Amino acid sequence: MSLFRDLIELFFPRSCCLCGAPLLGSEHDICLHCLQTLPEALTAQGKDNIVDHRLMGRINYVAATSLLLFSQGNNTQRLLHQIKYHGNEPLAVTMGRQIGLQLTGNHLFDDVDIIIPVPLHPRKQRRRGYNQSLLLCRGITQTFARPVSSDNLIRIRHTASQTHMNREERFNNMNGVFRVLNPQDLIGKHILIVDDVITTGATLEACYTALKDIQGLRISIATLAVTDNA
Ligand SMILES: [Zn+2]
């Protein structure tokens, strides 16, 4: 098996998605050096971090965490670009495993029951070929062993790209976008909502609006990245 892999690597060398260096056997998609020097969002220390400041007062949650800090032109931006626009699906799973490790080390997430990705509209998912948040979940569940549910929280409305919208336009754009198909399955549960990046928090707030009336439901949030400003 190992000889087979060595032969494959001889003809199809694997390289780091950021620096291009050849990957070692234990590395996946990104080299250890690039992985360790990615700009961290430093949300693991608990409350009063950048994610809390972004979401507090708008979403009632148990805990919210983000792995990386996104700034214009930094390696987090390049990483997200690979995942969202260059079809680098394995990289999303790899980074999901990193998020899962962060969750495992934080007792606030201990009693999470279910992992739920922020859904894409079916049309957008068909065009991209995958939902990057679901791929993150597939990685998370490898290091933070909880079941993933991707068919209960659904997106019922297509939204325009938010990239060039201001705060207010983003909130209006997200109104009534999500729906829960089987709310009874979530009664009394602690769910972890997973998204790729928090910008204004409008997407997560819209998910919360769809979920908040479910009896006894508690919500936590994990994202790959958070932008350095909204
Ligand atoms: Zn690298």
Side-chain angles (χ1 to χ4, degrees):
M1 200 59 212
S2 163
L3 175 69
F4 181 66
R5 206 174 61 196
D6 288 348
L7 276 171
I8 285 185
E9 282 179 22
L10 187 64
F11 292 105
F12 304 100
R14 304 179 311 137
S15 59
C16 173
C17 68
L18 292 180
C19 72
L23 293 176
L24 303 174
S26 60
E27 296 172 337
H28 298 280
D29 313 299
I30 179 169
C31 77
L32 200 58
H33 174 76
C34 285
L35 188 64
Q36 286 175 342
T37 52
L38 281 168
E40 291 180 69
L42 301 174
T43 60
Q45 279 73 24
K47 291 271 176 187
D48 201 34
N49 59 58
I50 185 171
V51 174
D52 286 314
H53 283 275
R54 200 68 52 85
L55 302 177
M56 240 181 330
R58 298 161 55 194
I59 302 176
N60 185 9
Y61 57 85
V62 177
T65 184
S66 201
L67 190 66
L68 305 174
L69 189 67
F70 177 115
S71 310
Q72 274 310 317
N74 78 352
N75 269 351
T76 302
Q77 184 186 33
R78 294 174 62 205
L79 198 79
L80 272 165
H81 213 82
Q82 286 271 333
I83 289 173
K84 288 176 80 162
Y85 308 114
H86 291 282
N88 198 336
E89 299 179 52
L91 178 62
V93 179
T94 292
M95 294 314 297
R97 283 197 292 272
Q98 296 298 317
I99 297 172
L101 291 173
Q102 191 186 46
L103 298 172
T104 303
N106 187 335
H107 70 90
L108 291 173
F109 296 96
D110 281 352
D111 66 350
V112 164
D113 299 297
I114 306 168
I115 307 172
I116 298 181
V118 170
L120 291 179
H121 189 272
R123 201 176 344 140
K124 189 163 189 179
Q125 181 155 342
R126 265 199 307 277
R127 204 166 54 218
R128 183 172 291 163
Y130 56 91
N131 174 359
Q132 69 277 9
S133 297
L134 176 57
L135 295 176
L136 289 173
C137 290
R138 296 225 168 102
I140 290 173
T141 189
Q142 290 177 26
T143 48
F144 179 76
R146 307 290 190 283
V148 177
S149 160
S150 60
D151 53 6
N152 199 351
L153 179 67
I154 61 160
R155 196 166 192 131
I156 52 176
R157 198 159 60 71
H158 184 68
T159 49
S161 167
Q162 303 209 99
T163 311
H164 300 290
M165 291 185 188
N166 66 29
R167 270 182 89 99
E168 196 185 337
E169 287 167 337
R170 285 185 188 219
F171 286 116
N172 295 334
N173 188 42
M174 294 308 296
N175 195 21
V177 166
F178 299 102
R179 214 182 105 196
V180 180
L181 287 180
N182 299 300
Q184 68 277 6
D185 290 354
L186 300 179
I187 291 173
K189 303 283 194 214
H190 183 183
I191 64 168
L192 180 76
I193 302 177
V194 173
D195 204 1
D196 50 3
V197 59
I198 300 176
T199 306
T200 61
T203 303
L204 290 169
E205 192 174 9
C207 287
Y208 174 72
T209 304
L211 290 157
K212 67 178 167 42
D213 294 330
I214 297 172
Q215 196 192 349
L217 180 75
R218 287 173 302 141
I219 294 171
S220 285
I221 291 160
T223 69
L224 177 57
V226 57
T227 55
D228 57 1
N229 63 66

